[in-house]
Amino acid sequence: MRNFKLLAAAAVTAAGVAGVAAAPTAQAGEVMDSVMENGTLRCGVNTGLAGFSIADDQGNWTGLDVEYCRAVAAAVLGDPEAVQFVELSAQQRFTALQAGEIDILSRNTTWTLTRDVSLGIHFAGVTFYDGQGFMVPADLGVDSAKDLSGASVCVQSGTTTELNLADYFRAQGMDFEPVVFEGFEESLSAFFAGRCQVYTTDKSGLAAIKSVDAPDPDAYKILPETISKEPLGPSVARGDDEWFAVAKWVLFALIQAEESGVNSENVDEMMDSDNPTIKRMLGQSGDMGEKLGLDPKWAYRAIKMVGNYGEIYARNVGPETPLGLERGVNDLWTEGGLMYAPPIR
């Protein structure tokens, strides 16, 4: 059963910042109940990918994937710090989710048909539209992926990256030598040690590796080709529709908040907005929270305590960060991008 005391505590937290009381009513599932009762969200993340999920020497986690989990914790528990981050390799991530060792997986994971229908998981949406690329030493003298015939390529096993790599070279009629590693750090060390000529992963990952992990960033370059579509997003285990709904709608609320001009700085002022969408999103009208099994201020807390999608993007991977990634296809649909939230109504 749901721990209404914890939810009430979350409501009190929200009331403390918003001055509005809460009234949760809907039924929740097993995962939702567990999160409520434990007062902690267990979030599976990458073992260390700058911009997405990485811990400093003090164990403080940052990154776009990390902040999504903080937003869920803020919405559900009233505390963005109530998250236990669980480091998972590419091979471990789905097993951990299926076994109930984590409540949500937020680990730069590509949404594919096979994963969606055969792993017992639901993808909650897309937090970052990516694509696979190649990085090479600048002195290799290569300017295009089409010049990589016969090259040795470091890649992580158990990833769509590994599959795309084979598809690309086959389609181009080129040979390559795969140098496969289970661990992310292991594969990086091998590349920088010269055990392979090429490193391949999602382009955001290449940007992070080049800017943060490379011993000399100027000694490496990312080739221009993007060889795949990689919609990256969080996922939850099947069997708890209420939890699935929460995972989806927290993400949608972060995107809608940016579209509506609501951010962590002005959300209190926006509580008085006459805009119907903003009023419903922030719990000033309608019963959106009740429908999700949460109190009315679930989205308010996520935005106030973590920020809207644009804030999260800018803080972790945007042009002013070491990754320096422009919004591109990750911009709002109103700005020519793909980020689009269904109506909150």
Side-chain angles (χ1 to χ4, degrees):
M1 295 295 292
R2 163 172 297 173
N3 188 330
F4 283 96
K5 290 183 179 180
L6 282 174
L7 190 54
V12 170
T13 302
V17 291
V20 180
T25 58
Q27 295 295 317
E30 183 177 350
V31 180
M32 185 85 155
D33 284 342
S34 175
V35 172
M36 292 287 194
E37 290 168 2
N38 295 331
T40 301
L41 172 68
R42 298 172 302 169
C43 174
V45 294
N46 197 304
T47 53
L49 181 61
F52 290 86
S53 58
I54 191 168
D56 62 18
D57 294 340
Q58 305 301 313
N60 300 309
W61 285 89
T62 58
L64 189 147
D65 290 342
V66 164
E67 294 205 19
Y68 165 73
C69 280
R70 293 198 188 285
V72 174
V76 175
L77 299 170
D79 182 0
E81 301 302 320
V83 184
Q84 175 190 353
F85 293 105
V86 180
E87 299 179 51
L88 297 170
S89 70
Q91 290 71 30
Q92 294 169 326
R93 55 186 164 179
F94 298 122
T95 301
L97 187 58
Q98 293 160 343
E101 296 170 1
I102 56 175
D103 304 308
I104 196 162
L105 177 65
S106 185
R107 187 201 177 283
N108 59 307
T109 297
T110 303
W111 185 352
T112 71
L113 184 151
T114 299
R115 289 172 174 174
D116 200 24
V117 304
S118 63
L119 294 182
I121 66 175
H122 286 304
F123 281 87
V126 177
T127 51
F128 191 91
Y129 289 95
D130 212 337
Q132 185 174 337
F134 299 100
M135 182 165 65
V136 298
D139 61 8
L140 189 63
V142 171
D143 295 317
S144 168
K146 295 181 180 179
D147 299 328
L148 295 177
S149 182
S152 56
V153 185
C154 282
V155 62
Q156 270 190 276
S157 62
T159 62
T160 55
T161 305
E162 184 182 17
L163 304 175
N164 295 333
L165 174 64
D167 288 348
Y168 177 77
F169 275 80
R170 186 182 305 111
Q172 297 297 320
M174 301 190 304
D175 296 324
F176 73 104
E177 177 190 349
V179 184
V180 181
F181 300 91
E182 179 174 342
F184 173 67
E185 290 79 7
E186 186 183 9
S187 65
L188 274 190
S189 297
F191 173 64
F192 290 129
R195 291 180 59 188
C196 54
Q197 298 166 299
V198 184
Y199 190 84
T200 185
T201 188
D202 296 342
K203 278 195 160 180
S204 64
L206 294 178
I209 293 166
K210 183 175 184 290
S211 63
V212 177
D213 299 299
D216 177 8
D218 292 335
Y220 299 90
K221 64 179 178 183
I222 299 171
L223 301 181
E225 287 85 357
T226 301
I227 68 168
S228 70
K229 294 189 295 184
E230 306 292 335
L232 310 180
S235 55
V236 297
R238 294 192 182 193
D240 186 338
D241 290 344
E242 289 81 4
W243 184 240
F244 178 36
V246 168
K248 282 191 297 186
W249 284 97
V250 168
L251 173 58
F252 293 150
L254 299 178
I255 295 170
Q256 182 61 55
E258 183 184 12
E259 181 180 335
S260 298
V262 181
N263 57 48
S264 59
E265 298 295 326
N266 68 11
V267 65
D268 287 309
E269 299 172 21
M270 288 294 186
M271 295 290 282
D272 297 324
S273 171
D274 293 327
N275 182 300
T277 295
I278 295 175
K279 290 171 67 73
R280 287 192 295 270
M281 179 172 64
L282 299 182
Q284 296 297 76
S285 68
D287 58 354
M288 303 299 103
E290 182 178 356
K291 285 182 166 63
L292 286 170
L294 300 173
D295 65 273
K297 296 298 174 287
W298 61 280
Y300 166 85
R301 287 192 299 274
I303 299 164
K304 175 72 175 178
M305 297 176 176
V306 181
N308 67 31
Y309 178 80
E311 292 178 280
I312 294 171
Y313 187 99
R315 195 159 52 226
N316 293 291
V317 299
E320 304 303 319
T321 69
L323 273 67
L325 300 177
E326 300 290 342
R327 288 292 293 271
V329 294
N330 289 295
D331 213 335
L332 297 173
W333 69 286
T334 52
E335 301 295 330
L338 298 175
M339 284 298 168
Y340 183 103
I344 298 177
R345 66 178 313 132

